Amino acid sequence: MLSIDMHSIDMPALEIRALSSSAEILSMLSELLVDVVAHGGSVGFMHPLPPPQAQAFWRNSLAAADIGARIVLGAFDEDTLVGTVTLLLDCPPNQPHRGEIAKLMTRRDYRGRGVASSLIRAVETLAAEHRRSLLVLDTASDEGASAFYEKLGYVRAGEIPDYALKPHGGLTGTIIFWKKV
């Protein structure tokens, strides 16, 4: 279990840990996903996101984590899930050195308080422990997190226009990033 305690004036102690399947974890992750999508987060879903669809996504994601195909991390402030990120490990046979970062989400009332940065640092550590030397990710061009990733040392590889629909409609591009770890 990975556990990181963070202390600062703005941020209470955080515990970051790998998540596995349980009804409680599934409920917390689903609630977070529905809220993020409702407020415009471009994480692969459209608004309104029905809770059963969010639950099905997380049920499948946690099942993949249970067999080692990915790692789903959760950041907790005491018993409250305040953020999550996923490290995808199930890459093709010619890419055993690569991992992909997906579904970085932070509760709205915890944004700007270091949760996402802590999650990325934790996922980078886990990637290195799993012999992954290259991480890739993508973020929406419109209202995405490109400045955040650049600040953490990720290199912009390029942008694909009109890649996906925004949660409330309209097209957005996606920016691809990479980082050696």
Side-chain angles (χ1 to χ4, degrees):
M1 175 170 105
L2 176 70
S3 181
I4 297 174
D5 289 320
M6 301 283 298
H7 296 279
S8 75
I9 295 172
D10 300 307
M11 189 67 219
L14 273 187
E15 179 187 10
I16 296 178
R17 65 178 186 256
L19 303 179
S20 58
S21 299
S22 77
E24 181 181 22
I25 293 297
L26 179 62
S27 176
M28 288 189 284
L29 286 167
S30 298
E31 179 183 309
L32 177 60
L33 179 57
V34 168
D35 185 64
V36 166
V37 171
H39 291 90
S42 184
V43 289
F45 297 92
M46 298 301 292
H47 176 73
L49 175 59
Q53 187 180 353
Q55 291 169 355
F57 168 78
W58 283 116
R59 190 175 298 109
N60 291 336
S61 186
L62 292 170
D66 290 343
I67 63 168
R70 64 183 60 193
I71 300 169
V72 179
L73 292 180
F76 290 85
D77 178 5
E78 297 185 13
D79 294 331
T80 302
L81 178 71
V82 299
T84 187
V85 69
T86 298
L87 175 62
L88 304 175
L89 297 169
D90 190 18
C91 296
N94 69 338
Q95 300 169 34
H97 62 288
R98 184 176 68 76
E100 184 172 344
I101 296 175
K103 302 295 184 271
L104 177 62
M105 295 179 268
T106 302
R107 279 177 55 129
R108 284 179 298 126
D109 53 340
Y110 278 79
R111 291 186 184 158
R113 299 169 66 183
V115 175
S117 297
S118 297
L119 284 164
I120 291 295
R121 284 192 298 275
V123 90
E124 289 173 351
T125 298
L126 283 172
E129 289 173 5
H130 283 82
R131 298 182 179 169
R132 306 304 162 121
S133 58
L134 176 67
L135 291 175
V136 297
L137 62 88
D138 67 90
T139 190
S141 302
D142 297 340
E143 301 177 29
S146 60
F148 167 77
Y149 290 117
E150 288 170 347
K151 184 173 146 183
L152 294 176
Y154 286 79
V155 179
R156 181 182 172 137
E159 181 174 351
I160 304 169
D162 297 340
Y163 187 79
L165 291 172
K166 297 183 229 180
H168 294 275
L171 289 169
T172 184
T174 193
I175 302 170
I176 310 296
F177 285 93
W178 62 271
K179 182 177 183 180
K180 293 275 199 169
V181 292

